[in-house]
Amino acid sequence: MIAVELRKLFRRPRTWITIALLNSLPVLVAVLLKVTDLAPRPGEGPAFLSAVLTNGTLFPLAALAIVLPLFLPIAVAVVAGDSVAGEAQGGTLRYLLARPAGRTRLLVAKLVALVVFVLVTVVIVAIVGYVVGTTLFEVQSLGATTAVSGTSLTPDQVAGRTLLSIGYVTISMLGVAAFAMFFSTLTDSPQLATLGALAVLIGSSLLFTLDAASDIAPYLPTRYWLSFVDFFRDPILWRNVVRGLGLQAVYVVVLLGAAWANFTTKDITS
Amino acid sequence: MVVRGWRWVVVALGLAVLVALPALVEALPADDEDVSPADLRAQVLASDDVAFSGYAISSGGLTLPVSDALTGVADLLSDQTALRAWYRGSDDWRVDVVTPTGETGTHRDASGTWTWDYADQRASRGDDPPLALPTAPDLLPSALGRRLLSEAGDDELSRIAPARVAGVDAVGLRYTPADPAASVSAVDVWVDPSTGLPVRVVVRSAGTATPALDTRFLDLDLSAPAATTTAFDPPPGADVTAERDLTDVDLGRQERADLPATLADLGRRSFDGVPDQIGAYGSGITVLAVSALPGRAAGSLRDQLERTPGAVVDDLGVRIAAGPLSLMVAGTSTRDGGSGTYLLAGTVTLDALATAARQIQEAAR
């Protein structure tokens, strides 16, 4: 069932159009940086963007930081919101459930397909970022990269920590995916499910900026998204990374539980 | 319907457990120890050689009406600051101020400090000046607790309830300054009883429930960090500069000042590095600094203080309070300052400031 869902997802042109659109923003930023030679100061603008003019191998990280706040979660919400509601809207949900596999397995298969989509998307952003970065900007083949803490990182360390960042960003998107998937079981409209997840995302981002909401900030789904920067401190600051992983796990478990409770008892009419 | 609903019950129960878990862990009572306030203070003061590494959060509740030159200090006292610390000894430590996309690290060695600023890609070297503005490392609970308790009298100390801080059952100590001029109503310090290390410090001012400053460890590891972690070499390509300290700043010490031996019943004292033109008064956490102001600075500061909500303006000058911190420009009422204008700042009440200003005027006649 998982293989069927994966084939279905990656055979759709709109999946690849989404991924292509997602990559267009970092590429545009890279071109603008190359043309104008104007990078933001360190600590300003998207993380690591300041360093790419002198070290193009850091552009995969800058590309992730560029798409992380909005583009990537929108893409994830669109695909996840479509997962169940899209089948219902298209009238195919009844036929899917006619198979003996059961609703719980269908939900799990949809979730695994989503995780694979997020991972593929993030990896493609990183690869495109690497190709664009090393093509347009200087590459420090021998020199070391300066970490956020002012120490030097070897190219191997940079590569390893970039891989950790890719994994972390992928997992950070699972909360949004779980929200969209839960909403997708509540409605037959994929657009409504996507909008619901985006409302949660925007609400979380807004509350995070308010001092008055500081008590609930540790529980906001977007709270630890930027913590992939902590892989580039020296020593690595694991505290927020671990909390970010735990928080996403809690959201996935609770929302999938809710999706399961709703979907397995729902009357399927379409 | 009952059969259908069990799934929702499972989900609701799971959610309730997850939501309640942090509160339940927080509510677990911490163990107390039978130790006298004086002994606990002595343990704290002797904790200077306790090695540790940790992560701390400092929350300031003060809004300071300061100029652009002092925004760093104002931010420390009004915002939340995340601190990462590695401490091997009093002259071998590192404290990083962590922001979402950058950091500023202070590395202390035997002869001074390196400060690394990621935003500016700058490493600056400082040589341990005797007079300096507060910096982020001063807000670390361990450093602040030792500093604030250093001059506390035994009769000003009492024990308070223990608290669990960064996984440590920390015993509580309250320092209530006895001086009537004090604007700090209490300093609460929670201490790791096994090492004497302060793990949380709360500074309270009278009349408000919100602490003026609350700094605590969230993570604490009492093993010694590696020497390579605290050491620092400027990275290639960094802008390397010498740190500017307060001895380079004109604090009005070119102005002549005849200051009395006591002000508002606070005795004058001397500190290493403080020039004679600046009068330092008081002890413990009740201190007052007085400096003659050059004319232009006086006019500008007076204007700024007058615009601050709650400012008291009278024939003595203009004075304001931000939590336990108070500030006054006293002396001549000319808009451009002039001779006879003083800046008074400290952790004293506004009444004490007014008394001090009156006594300075009388001494000058």
Side-chain angles (χ1 to χ4, degrees):
Chain A
M1 191 179 264
I2 291 171
V4 172
E5 290 300 325
L6 282 173
R7 264 200 302 276
K8 204 163 36 176
L9 184 62
F10 286 102
R11 277 183 181 169
R12 280 182 188 155
R14 67 178 167 190
T15 300
W16 295 103
I17 291 171
T18 303
I19 293 174
L21 284 173
L22 195 62
N23 279 283
S24 62
L25 184 62
V27 172
L28 176 65
V29 170
V31 171
L32 287 173
L33 246 61
K34 177 68 179 172
V35 172
T36 63
D37 215 23
L38 283 175
R41 289 175 64 227
E44 289 179 2
F48 302 106
L49 197 57
S50 58
V52 301
L53 284 184
T54 51
N55 189 357
T57 56
L58 288 178
F59 196 70
L61 291 163
L64 285 178
I66 289 167
V67 299
L68 184 61
L70 204 59
F71 268 43
L72 187 57
I74 286 178
V76 172
V78 166
V79 175
D82 188 62
S83 58
V84 178
E87 303 278 8
Q89 194 181 51
T92 51
L93 192 55
R94 270 184 301 175
Y95 301 109
L96 272 180
L97 295 177
R99 290 182 295 187
R103 298 183 183 193
T104 304
R105 284 189 63 188
L106 178 66
L107 266 186
V108 172
K110 291 278 185 190
L111 178 76
V112 172
L114 262 177
V115 173
V116 173
F117 166 76
V118 177
L119 182 63
V120 167
T121 305
V122 172
V123 168
I124 289 177
V125 169
I127 291 172
V128 171
Y130 183 81
V131 172
V132 170
T134 51
T135 308
L136 293 182
F137 307 113
E138 286 178 35
V139 177
Q140 294 182 351
S141 53
L142 294 174
T145 302
T146 301
V148 176
S149 304
T151 50
S152 296
L153 298 177
T154 64
D156 284 350
Q157 284 176 313
V158 172
R161 294 180 188 210
T162 303
L163 287 177
L164 287 173
S165 301
I166 288 172
Y168 182 77
V169 169
T170 302
I171 292 170
S172 295
M173 288 300 112
L174 295 188
V176 178
F179 268 110
M181 201 165 163
F182 169 56
F183 293 145
S184 185
T185 65
L186 295 178
T187 172
D188 287 352
S189 162
Q191 292 84 1
L192 212 56
T194 300
L195 284 175
L198 291 181
V200 171
L201 169 76
I202 293 166
S204 170
S205 304
L206 178 85
L207 288 173
F208 186 39
T209 62
L210 289 180
D211 285 344
S214 60
D215 285 345
I216 59 168
Y219 309 105
L220 296 173
T222 57
R223 163 63 183 87
Y224 297 107
W225 277 10
L226 260 184
S227 296
F228 77 92
V229 173
D230 293 350
F231 288 118
F232 292 84
R233 305 187 195 278
D234 203 14
I236 293 174
L237 176 56
W238 289 103
R239 179 187 164 83
N240 289 344
V241 170
V242 170
R243 274 163 180 71
L245 297 177
L247 187 65
Q248 296 302 321
V250 167
Y251 273 112
V252 168
V253 168
V254 170
L255 290 164
L256 270 187
W260 164 77
N262 183 52
F263 188 56
T264 50
T265 55
K266 192 179 176 182
D267 293 328
I268 305 297
T269 55
S270 51
Chain B
M1 198 63 192
V2 173
V3 176
R4 279 182 164 202
W6 70 267
R7 291 180 175 87
W8 279 110
V9 173
V10 170
V11 173
L13 280 176
L15 182 61
V17 168
L18 286 169
V19 168
L21 212 52
L24 287 174
V25 171
E26 185 113 336
L28 284 176
D31 290 337
D32 206 351
E33 295 217 0
D34 185 20
V35 53
S36 73
D39 288 348
L40 196 52
R41 172 180 171 269
Q43 274 188 45
V44 168
L45 298 187
S47 68
D48 202 25
D49 58 352
V50 176
F52 66 88
S53 50
Y55 182 87
I57 290 282
S58 165
S59 304
L62 308 180
T63 307
L64 297 185
V66 294
S67 62
D68 291 346
L70 291 176
T71 48
V73 178
D75 288 349
L76 283 181
L77 298 177
S78 63
D79 283 348
Q80 196 168 72
T81 309
L83 303 159
R84 252 184 127 185
W86 297 266
Y87 188 90
R88 291 166 50 82
S90 58
D91 60 358
D92 185 3
W93 49 258
R94 167 181 165 192
V95 176
D96 291 349
V97 176
V98 178
T99 60
T101 57
E103 69 184 51
T104 305
T106 306
H107 300 247
R108 169 79 204 208
D109 56 38
S111 58
T113 56
W114 277 110
T115 303
W116 163 253
D117 187 341
Y118 176 70
D120 291 334
Q121 295 283 295
R122 188 178 61 219
S124 45
R125 182 70 181 166
D127 56 356
D128 196 17
L131 184 65
L133 289 169
T135 57
D138 296 322
L139 294 182
L140 212 58
S142 48
L144 189 66
R146 278 195 294 268
R147 185 184 290 256
L148 295 184
L149 292 176
S150 63
E151 294 188 342
D154 287 352
D155 55 338
E156 296 175 307
L157 298 173
S158 58
R159 290 289 314 279
I160 53 173
R164 182 168 289 105
V165 183
V168 173
D169 284 343
V171 293
L173 181 65
R174 173 165 290 172
Y175 168 22
T176 311
D179 202 307
S183 57
V184 172
S185 61
V187 175
D188 294 342
V189 182
W190 282 270
V191 182
D192 172 23
S194 62
T195 59
L197 197 72
V199 291
R200 183 180 182 190
V201 178
V202 177
V203 179
R204 304 181 192 279
S205 54
T208 171
T210 309
L213 187 69
D214 182 352
T215 175
R216 59 179 145 171
F217 282 111
L218 299 181
D219 290 331
L220 184 66
D221 176 2
L222 289 170
S223 56
T228 48
T229 305
T230 54
F232 184 77
D233 288 312
D239 182 14
V240 180
T241 61
E243 213 157 74
R244 189 167 180 259
D245 63 50
L246 282 182
T247 50
D248 303 328
V249 181
D250 179 12
L251 288 172
R253 68 195 73 156
Q254 303 309 317
E255 306 293 312
R256 187 170 163 275
D258 297 317
L259 295 169
T262 59
L263 282 178
D265 290 331
L266 301 172
R268 186 167 183 180
R269 57 193 296 192
S270 60
F271 290 100
D272 286 345
V274 178
D276 291 341
Q277 292 88 340
I278 297 177
Y281 296 84
S283 64
I285 49 172
T286 310
V287 289
L288 171 66
V290 182
S291 170
L293 274 181
R296 183 165 301 190
S300 151
L301 193 55
R302 185 192 301 273
D303 286 346
Q304 200 167 353
L305 294 192
E306 281 177 355
R307 287 196 300 270
T308 305
V312 178
V313 185
D314 56 19
D315 55 351
L316 290 171
V318 52
R319 54 192 182 276
I320 59 135
L325 299 181
S326 51
L327 199 63
M328 179 174 193
V329 175
T332 56
S333 58
T334 53
R335 302 294 294 176
D336 59 349
S339 61
T341 307
Y342 294 87
L343 173 69
L344 294 84
T347 49
V348 296
T349 61
L350 288 184
D351 288 346
L353 273 190
T355 305
R358 200 172 293 117
Q359 290 170 336
I360 292 171
Q361 280 184 1
E362 287 166 2
R365 279 183 196 141

